[in-house]
């Protein structure tokens, strides 16, 4: 589900904790060429032609590739640089999926789909010449990662489902939870939102969308909101594609899930996956809430499940040492 803050800022906030440690973790490695983008370090990137579109890809690190798939839907890759400290155990592959970041955008929103995102991951794998890849999908990215593993499992070495969703029904339940929390804790904003809805405004109405996004990021997404209050980072092009978001979740997707997300369901297929699987959840996540996250144990019993007790939707920011230790061990299986 999308972050409830201004789209231009949301992905930058996710990168904050990472960039505070990049100098020691990445910046001094002479064998990893870096370029400066908006005054912050990004690995060298390039365009890859996939399914008729130019997709932006950055790689850094050493070892087996770990493809990182962004959330939203509609988010570009910068927030996933929070995983940069893993460069020493794998080659991190950051992707701006079609319609996001530096990659091409569609001429029509009808070009955007979960299926397209899945096929683009496969196209990038082929273009980069990898046989087997590790895959990590965060939030919405978990939707793409799971479907990719189901369809292209012979090419997946390890699968990491980070703060994810197993069905459209789960997404709807979490929409309902988020809205309950907003109504209970931000009644003044909720009252205004309800007044707008009485006038016929829905999630994709710009005025409604702007007010909904005024709910602080840390309220729904953090164990400690201070972990996400830092200086603002420079902009990244097309960091969040709102049109793409509503195309995949439906025009009123913050209240009633529709379109691709509503149809999504892997609950009957997860148990058949053969690769090692790690599932990560946060105790204070009010978007992918524990009540539903723990149901992964039923649908994917062969997986390693870890609940981070002092994290919200981003354990890689709030408990990075613990999560990265677990991921390193997992990838060495």
């Amino acid at each position: 589900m999308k972050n409830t803050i201004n789209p231009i800022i949301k992905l930058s906030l996710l990168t904050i904790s990472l960039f505070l440690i990049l100098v020691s973790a990445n910046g001094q490695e002479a064998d990893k060429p870096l370029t400066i983008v908006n005054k912050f370090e990004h690995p060298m990137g390039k365009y890859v032609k996939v399914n008729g579109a130019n997709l932006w890809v950055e790689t850094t690190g050493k070892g087996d590739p770990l493809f990182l798939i962004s959330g939203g839907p509609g988010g570009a890759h910068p927030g996933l640089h929070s995983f940069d400290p893993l460069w020493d155990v794998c080659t991190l592959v950051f992707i701006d999926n079609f319609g996001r970041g530096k990659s091409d955008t569609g001429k029509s929103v009808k070009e955007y789909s979960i299926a397209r995102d899945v096929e683009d991951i496969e196209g990038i794998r082929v273009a980069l010449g990898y046989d087997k890849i590790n895959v990590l999908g965060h939030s919405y990215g978990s939707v793409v990662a799971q479907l990719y593993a189901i369809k292209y499992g012979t090419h997946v070495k390890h699968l990491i489902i980070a703060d994810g969703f197993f069905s459209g029904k789960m997404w709807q339940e979490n929409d309902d939870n988020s809205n309950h929390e907003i109504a209970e804790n931000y009644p003044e904003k909720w009252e205004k939102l309800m007044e707008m809805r009485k006038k016929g405004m829905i999630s994709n109405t710009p005025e409604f969308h702007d007010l909904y996004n005024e709910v602080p990021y840390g309220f729904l997404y953090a164990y400690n909101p201070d972990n996400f209050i830092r200086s603002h980072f420079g902009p990244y092009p097309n960091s969040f594609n709102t049109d793409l978001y509503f195309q995949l979740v439906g025009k009123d997707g913050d209240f009633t899930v529709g379109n691709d997300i509503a149809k999504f369901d892997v609950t009957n297929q997860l148990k058949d996956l053969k690769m090692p699987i790690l599932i990560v959840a946060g105790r204070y996540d009010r978007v992918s809430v524990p009540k539903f996250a723990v149901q992964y144990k039923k649908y994917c019993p062969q997986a390693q499940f870890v609940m981070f007790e002092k994290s919200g939707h981003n354990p890689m920011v709030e408990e990075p040492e613990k999560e990265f230790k677990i991921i390193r061990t997992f990838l060495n299986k």
Side-chain angles (χ1 to χ4, degrees):
M1 141 175 223
K2 82 169 178 13
N3 297 343
T4 52
I5 74 168
N6 187 290
I8 295 175
I9 298 174
K10 71 175 76 178
L11 285 171
S12 297
L13 287 173
L14 287 179
T15 66
I16 287 167
S17 292
L18 161 74
F19 283 110
L20 293 176
I21 62 173
L22 265 181
V23 173
S24 60
N26 271 2
Q28 297 177 356
E29 295 298 322
D31 61 339
K32 294 187 291 131
L34 295 171
T35 186
I36 303 299
V37 178
N38 295 323
K39 300 182 180 179
F40 300 99
E41 292 176 337
H42 280 245
M44 294 291 286
K46 65 179 181 179
Y47 283 103
V48 177
K49 194 78 169 183
V50 175
N51 296 322
N54 294 309
L55 303 184
W56 180 255
V57 178
E58 297 175 2
T59 61
T60 187
K62 56 187 178 181
D64 290 340
L66 175 62
F67 279 44
L68 298 115
I69 308 175
S70 304
H77 84 274
L80 292 181
H81 278 294
S82 297
F83 289 99
D84 264 7
L86 294 174
W87 71 268
D88 59 338
V89 292
C90 55
T91 298
L92 298 166
V93 181
F94 300 98
I95 299 163
D96 283 344
N97 276 92
F98 181 58
R100 294 88 154 174
K102 296 182 180 181
S103 293
D104 287 349
T105 56
K107 294 180 180 179
S108 166
V109 294
K110 293 181 179 180
E111 295 183 54
Y112 302 130
S113 68
I114 299 174
R116 170 72 183 256
D117 287 345
V118 171
E119 294 307 317
D120 283 350
I121 298 300
E122 174 62 2
I124 292 171
R125 179 194 68 79
V126 173
L128 296 182
Y130 295 124
D131 178 24
K132 287 185 176 290
I133 60 175
N134 303 300
V135 180
L136 184 156
H138 177 255
S139 195
Y140 163 75
S142 73
V143 173
V144 178
Q146 290 166 99
L147 289 172
Y148 181 84
I150 289 167
K151 185 171 183 179
Y152 296 106
T154 56
H155 294 293
V156 179
K157 190 172 183 180
H158 298 84
L159 171 64
I160 302 175
I161 302 168
D163 315 285
F165 302 88
F166 48 67
S167 71
K169 181 180 178 181
M170 179 184 177
W171 194 292
Q172 181 64 62
E173 294 282 2
N174 285 282
D175 262 11
D176 295 342
N177 182 74
S178 295
N179 289 327
H180 171 76
E181 295 283 353
I182 295 170
E184 292 293 311
N185 292 279
Y186 284 87
E188 66 280 14
K189 292 190 185 298
W190 188 255
E191 183 178 355
K192 292 179 181 178
L193 289 168
M194 292 303 99
E195 290 174 357
M196 288 182 171
R197 290 185 75 78
K198 289 179 181 178
K199 296 177 181 178
M201 296 184 185
I202 58 176
S203 299
N204 71 347
T205 306
E207 298 92 333
F208 189 96
H209 184 67
D210 290 344
L211 179 59
Y212 196 84
N213 284 343
E214 287 182 9
V215 176
Y217 179 90
F219 171 65
L220 291 174
Y221 291 82
Y223 164 72
N224 179 4
D226 287 346
N227 290 326
F228 299 91
I229 300 175
R230 300 289 189 278
S231 59
H232 175 58
F233 279 74
Y236 185 80
N238 196 19
S239 64
F240 193 88
N241 186 331
T242 304
D243 291 337
L244 187 156
Y245 172 79
F246 287 116
Q247 175 63 20
L248 266 59
V249 304
K251 293 186 292 185
D252 199 23
D254 293 327
F255 286 79
T256 303
V257 178
N259 296 357
D260 277 15
I261 292 296
K263 301 172 187 175
F264 165 71
D265 191 331
V266 293
T267 54
N268 292 325
Q269 298 158 292
L270 290 173
K271 66 181 183 301
D272 297 323
L273 293 176
K274 304 302 182 184
M275 73 288 294
I277 302 170
L278 171 64
I279 300 172
V280 172
R283 181 68 69 187
Y284 287 81
D285 194 342
R286 294 298 174 259
V287 180
S288 177
V289 297
K291 177 181 178 181
F292 300 100
V294 297
Q295 294 179 29
Y296 266 110
K297 297 179 182 180
K298 174 175 67 174
Y299 298 124
C300 194
Q302 74 276 30
Q304 176 186 355
F305 182 92
V306 181
M307 179 70 73
F308 287 83
E309 299 295 338
K310 294 184 179 180
S311 291
H313 200 55
N314 304 281
M316 69 282 199
V317 172
E318 300 204 89
E319 296 181 82
E321 292 184 5
K322 180 179 178 181
E323 180 169 12
F324 296 154
K325 180 178 180 181
I326 290 170
I327 291 177
R328 285 189 173 92
T329 301
F330 172 72
L331 292 177
N332 285 326
K333 288 184 178 179

